[in-house]
Amino acid sequence: MTPEVFQAALERGDVQTAGQMLADDVVFRSPAVFEPYQGKRATMVLLTAVSRVFQDFRYQRTFIEESGRGMVMLFEAKVGNRQVEGVDILRLDEHGLVDDFRVMVRPHSALEALMSAMVPMIELVLADEGNSDSVS
């Protein structure tokens, strides 16, 4: 799977396809919490939740390192009535899988709206999985 396929999957909310490109030991760094989330399961829960929270999600620009092992994807979306701008910063391992996934969001009011919407959505995603364990 290529980074372009990963990006297209995220744009259409196809978390399962995007998940095929995540390394088992991926580290997800959220704009909302200091400590990173460890592992594919936690990252899948977060991506599923955010795919349900974001409306009109689309990538605007993508920058790929010359080595092909890193990329930055600038996105826009809505959370309720808040416009969100952000970047996904990805690093690929030697197998071409995402092993580091960082997200940054602006403006602050959009981050607050995102954080407020994500807490109950993560709980719903976990309930859908039949598992109320924490994602951390």
Side-chain angles (χ1 to χ4, degrees), residues 34-104:
F34 178 74
E35 292 295 322
Y37 294 93
Q38 302 285 333
K40 187 172 185 174
R41 178 182 177 274
T43 302
M44 290 293 291
V45 168
L46 293 166
L47 290 178
T48 300
V50 81
S51 74
R52 295 178 184 179
V53 167
F54 277 160
Q55 300 137 17
D56 302 326
F57 178 84
R58 63 200 169 282
Y59 286 107
Q60 298 297 318
R61 296 178 71 189
T62 300
F63 305 90
I64 300 175
E65 288 181 347
E66 287 181 24
S67 69
R69 299 266 315 261
M71 55 193 296
V72 175
M73 303 180 301
L74 175 67
F75 66 84
E76 292 181 354
K78 288 174 117 178
V79 175
N81 64 355
R82 296 280 182 204
Q83 187 67 33
V84 178
E85 293 180 325
V87 292
D88 290 339
I89 305 168
L90 309 179
R91 183 185 67 206
L92 307 180
D93 67 11
E94 64 275 4
H95 306 291
L97 299 175
V98 176
D99 67 356
D100 191 82
F101 194 133
R102 299 169 191 247
V103 180
M104 296 185 185

